[in-house]
Structure formats: structure tokens, C-alpha cells
Amino acid sequence: MKITSCMQSGKSNNFYEILSLRSEDINNVGINDIKRAYRCMALQYHPDVCHDHSNKEESTRRFIELQKAYETLSDPILRENYDYQLSLRDSSENSSRIVHKDVWERQLNELRRRSLHRMEKKRSI
């Protein structure tokens, strides 16, 4: 696992690239690698540490990207869903654990509907 010392000048939508994590197999990136990369990059791009006032806006933008990447990759559930979306992990390996939001919302709505129906029935008795 290597951590590069600076962020690429081009925009990147990949959180692993934003944190400058390089690995042949993304599944081998551990939480300690993510923390180390975030700390290293945060020290470089934190707006309060930026000494070049002409580049403060860019540093602030990059720091916000770093925070978003760190928050996603440091949470195991968010990271699993993120990796699934990027198709970096085998979808069949964890497919039973991933529940899509719309399915979850439909189930919750049905439970609410049943609960209201039962409550109305009890009131009418």
C-alpha cells in the first residue's frame, strides 16, 4: 500500500484516488491505511494550514473532498455500498448483505400501513 504525497491536479470522483491510495487490490486497503492517508492529506490541504492565500479556495475544496472520502471509506457499511457501486468488489460475494434503499423504504412503508390498520381496528372495537 502506497500513499502519495500530493493530490492530482485533475478532479477525481474515486474516493480511493482522492485519498491517494494505490493498491492492486482495493479490498486490501485497511482502515489504518485510510486514516493514515486522510491525516497526511488533511495536513496538506486544511484551509487553516494553507499558507498560500491565493490557493485557499482550492485547498478548501480539496479538503471537503477529503472529508467526504474519509467519512465514506472509514464507515464499513458506507464503504461496502460505495465499493459495490464502483463494482470493485464481487457483487455476488456480499449481495445478500446489501439492501437497496427503495426496497428498504417499501418494506418500511408497508409496516407503517399495517401498523396504522391495526391501530384503527383497535380503536373501533
Side-chain angles (χ1 to χ4, degrees):
M1 182 61 44
K2 290 187 178 183
I3 301 172
T4 60
S5 62
C6 65
M7 195 181 255
Q8 301 295 326
S9 60
K11 290 184 179 181
S12 174
N13 293 332
N14 186 320
F15 288 159
Y16 294 101
E17 291 174 6
I18 288 172
L19 289 173
S20 296
L21 292 167
R22 293 184 185 175
S23 176
E24 294 299 318
D25 184 13
I26 296 298
N27 294 325
N28 290 334
V29 176
I31 188 68
N32 290 332
D33 297 321
I34 294 167
K35 286 180 183 179
R36 191 176 319 117
Y38 173 72
R39 287 184 191 131
C40 177
M41 301 297 286
L43 288 173
Q44 185 176 358
Y45 290 108
H46 195 285
D48 293 341
V49 179
C50 180
H51 298 292
D52 184 10
H53 294 292
S54 63
N55 203 15
K56 194 164 188 160
E57 276 187 40
E58 180 67 16
S59 289
T60 302
R61 185 189 63 77
R62 288 187 180 187
F63 184 73
I64 291 169
E65 287 178 350
L66 286 169
Q67 282 183 308
K68 187 175 180 182
Y70 177 73
E71 287 172 5
T72 301
L73 297 179
S74 63
D75 182 299
I77 295 170
L78 292 176
R79 181 179 176 187
E80 184 176 332
N81 288 332
Y82 177 75
D83 287 350
Y84 176 76
Q85 289 173 358
L86 286 178
S87 298
L88 293 176
R89 293 191 178 179
D90 182 15
S91 61
S92 64
E93 175 184 326
N94 296 317
S95 62
S96 62
R97 294 176 55 196
I98 297 174
V99 178
H100 296 286
K101 186 178 177 181
D102 58 334
V103 173
W104 182 254
E105 287 176 350
R106 279 193 306 242
Q107 290 173 346
L108 285 175
N109 287 334
E110 180 63 21
L111 289 172
R112 285 184 191 122
R113 187 188 66 76
R114 289 179 186 178
S115 178
L116 287 174
H117 182 69
R118 280 190 219 121
M119 296 295 283
E120 289 174 2
K121 242 182 171 178
K122 285 182 181 180
R123 287 181 193 151
S124 66
I125 295 178

